């Protein structure tokens, strides 16, 4: 009985501390609507985690907050191909697979890496945008942290996004370092800048954006993670019709070069609108 109570208390403490870590995040979903064509009567619903520029992030456009980014632009093509308008549900990254499995959203685009583990739960399109992982550090530390070993020491604090592949990468690469997993990427970056963290693992395009917008940040020069990684669209397991439509859109956008333009535009938008 006592043991049971204790494990219950410990479990509650664990939950509370996770809650505190993500305290500045509202996990209630925010829904954004994109009218592709006023004659369309239905919506296709996409789940995302808008904390990952240039993939997706919130931006005030004409006095109203909306979600922008390369994933949103690609999703508009998917919606158009389906003859539907687009609804985007913004949640913590760690909720996205569950929401898709539960049918709360029709597909997920969130700079999501198609891992074997996730592929047991959802189906993935081919990769639409390739990217590698990097370690974001303070610029003054680039010369110190020249290898994974240099960071894998007990005094170093490494951060990664909760539920992302970077969390596993941190476990595998920096087992001796202190590790912190937080729901929102901007919170990780703030902690890195003010010294509560020493390194944060993320996709290169995202790190590049932060480095462009914050001169006190830099990218460690050593490689980390799978050099062949990238992002794919996830649909519910067995949703073959939607997957076929998604795959056709992606194949076209890659073949005609539209994806490259979309990526370049999203990167430019992120760099020109940073606070
Ligand atoms: N590519 C990584 C993953 O799939 C991180 C993606 C994070 N995406 C985001 N929108 N925050 O686990």
């Amino acid at each position: 009985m006592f043991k049971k109570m204790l494990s219950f208390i410990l479990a509650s403490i664990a939950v509370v501390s996770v809650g505190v870590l993500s305290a500045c995040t509202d996990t209630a979903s925010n829904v954004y609507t994109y009218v592709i064509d006023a004659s369309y009567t239905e919506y296709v619903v996409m789940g995302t985690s808008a904390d990952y520029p240039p993939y997706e992030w919130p931006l005030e456009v004409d006095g109203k907050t909306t979600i922008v980014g390369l994933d949103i632009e690609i999703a508009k093509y998917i919606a158009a191909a389906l003859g539907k308008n687009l609804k985007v549900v913004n949640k913590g990254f760690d909720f996205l697979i569950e929401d898709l499995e539960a049918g709360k959203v029709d597909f997920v685009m969130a700079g999501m890496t198609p891992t074997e583990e996730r592929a047991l739960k959802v189906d993935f399109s081919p990769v639409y945008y390739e990217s590698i992982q990097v370690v974001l550090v303070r610029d003054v530390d680039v010369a110190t942290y020249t290898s994974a070993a240099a960071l894998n020491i007990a005094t170093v604090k490494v951060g990664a996004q909760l539920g992302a592949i970077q969390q596993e990468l941190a476990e595998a690469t920096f087992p001796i370092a202190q590790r912190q997993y937080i729901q929102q990427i901007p919170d990780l970056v703030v902690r890195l800048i003010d010294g509560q963290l020493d390194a944060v693992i993320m996709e290169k395009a995202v790190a590049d954006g932060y480095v462009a917008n914050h001169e006190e940040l830099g990218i460690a020069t050593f490689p980390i993670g799978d050099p062949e990684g990238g992002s794919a669209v996830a649909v519910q397991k067995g949703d073959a019709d939607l997957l076929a439509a998604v795959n056709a859109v992606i194949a076209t956008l890659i073949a005609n070069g539209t994806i490259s333009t979309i990526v370049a535009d999203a990167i430019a938008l992120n760099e020109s609108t940073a606070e």
Side-chain angles (χ1 to χ4, degrees):
M1 174 67 191
F2 176 70
K3 243 185 163 174
K4 237 186 176 167
M5 278 280 288
L6 187 66
S7 60
F8 175 75
I9 292 170
L10 288 179
S12 324
I13 292 173
V15 170
V16 168
S17 62
V18 170
V20 169
L21 285 182
S22 53
C24 23
T25 316
D26 182 0
T27 47
S29 57
N30 302 298
V31 182
Y32 300 83
T33 316
Y34 304 78
V35 175
I36 307 295
D37 186 317
S39 73
Y40 296 162
T41 51
E42 286 178 70
Y43 284 90
V44 65
V45 184
M46 161 177 154
T48 197
S49 170
D51 66 340
Y52 217 50
Y55 294 86
E56 49 267 323
W57 75 102
L59 187 70
E60 203 174 295
V61 178
D62 301 330
K64 251 184 89 183
T65 300
T66 183
I67 308 288
V68 296
L70 67 98
D71 284 344
I72 306 291
E73 292 311 308
I74 295 169
K76 288 179 186 169
Y77 281 95
I78 294 173
L82 299 169
K84 294 182 180 179
N85 291 316
L86 175 67
K87 214 167 251 182
V88 172
V89 179
N90 180 26
K91 283 239 185 133
F93 186 77
D94 51 324
F95 285 95
L96 298 180
I97 296 273
E98 270 170 49
D99 276 10
L100 182 56
E101 285 186 287
K104 291 186 187 168
V105 298
D106 299 312
F107 67 99
V108 166
M109 288 186 83
M112 184 174 274
T113 308
T115 64
E116 277 174 30
E117 200 188 331
R118 290 173 181 157
L120 297 173
K121 302 176 177 169
V122 300
D123 288 338
F124 282 107
S125 73
V127 164
Y128 58 84
Y129 178 51
E130 285 171 18
S131 71
I132 57 166
Q133 306 300 318
V134 298
V135 180
L136 186 67
V137 296
R138 287 179 295 277
D139 199 41
V140 290
D141 290 338
V142 171
T144 316
Y145 298 139
T146 52
S147 66
L151 272 163
N152 188 26
I153 51 177
T155 49
V156 163
K157 301 186 200 73
V158 178
Q161 182 165 40
L162 194 66
I165 58 161
Q166 289 84 0
Q167 176 173 350
E168 284 160 35
L169 206 49
E171 294 288 311
T173 319
F174 306 110
I176 299 172
Q178 299 170 50
R179 281 150 280 129
Q180 246 191 60
Y181 308 123
I182 299 179
Q183 197 184 43
Q184 297 281 313
I185 291 285
D187 294 343
L188 286 159
V189 175
V190 165
R191 281 165 202 236
L192 175 61
I193 291 172
D194 74 17
Q196 295 178 60
L197 287 173
D198 301 302
V200 180
I201 310 171
M202 60 181 71
E203 250 91 13
K204 181 175 184 296
V206 181
D208 284 343
Y210 281 112
V211 169
N213 293 335
H214 300 271
E215 57 181 14
E216 62 271 56
L217 296 176
I219 294 177
T221 50
F222 62 89
I224 183 170
D226 174 11
E228 317 251 275
S231 308
V233 181
V235 301
Q236 271 191 306
K237 254 232 152 329
D239 196 348
D241 289 349
L242 180 55
L243 189 59
V246 165
N247 290 355
V249 170
I250 286 174
T252 306
L253 296 183
I254 291 175
N256 67 19
T258 306
I259 293 232
S260 311
T261 313
I262 287 176
V263 169
D265 287 351
I267 290 172
L269 181 65
N270 178 38
E271 292 183 9
S272 65
T273 54
E275 293 109 54

